[in-house]
Amino acid sequence: SRPVGAVHGAVTTGDLWRFMRLRGDLAEVDLSQFHIQSLDRILGVLLAMVAEEATAPPLPEPGAVQ
């Protein structure tokens, strides 16, 4: 299995959305709230999450020599 670079998350009430990211032991929480009326911004954040994972360089396997 490949180590995980970051874990992205979203919390929503259906009308309000918030986003976060966990990298190692660092949790980053976006303090902004996005209302569903700003659907373009919500979709932009979701696409950025996917794009970040897709373009992230692979992490070394545990125990690998660098």
Side-chain angles (χ1 to χ4, degrees), residues 7 15 22 32 34:
V7 176
D15 289 330
L22 177 64
S32 302
F34 299 89

Side-chain angles (χ1 to χ4, degrees), residues 52-63:
E52 180 181 322
E53 277 305 303
T55 60
L59 296 174
E61 293 294 325

Side-chain angles (χ1 to χ4, degrees), residues 23-48:
R23 287 190 206 177
D25 61 354
L26 177 64
E28 301 170 284
V29 178
D30 186 342
L31 299 178
S32 302
Q33 293 186 21
F34 299 89
H35 194 273
I36 194 65
Q37 291 176 335
S38 299
L39 187 57
D40 57 335
R41 294 186 70 196
I42 294 169
L43 291 175
V45 172
L46 292 170
L47 287 171

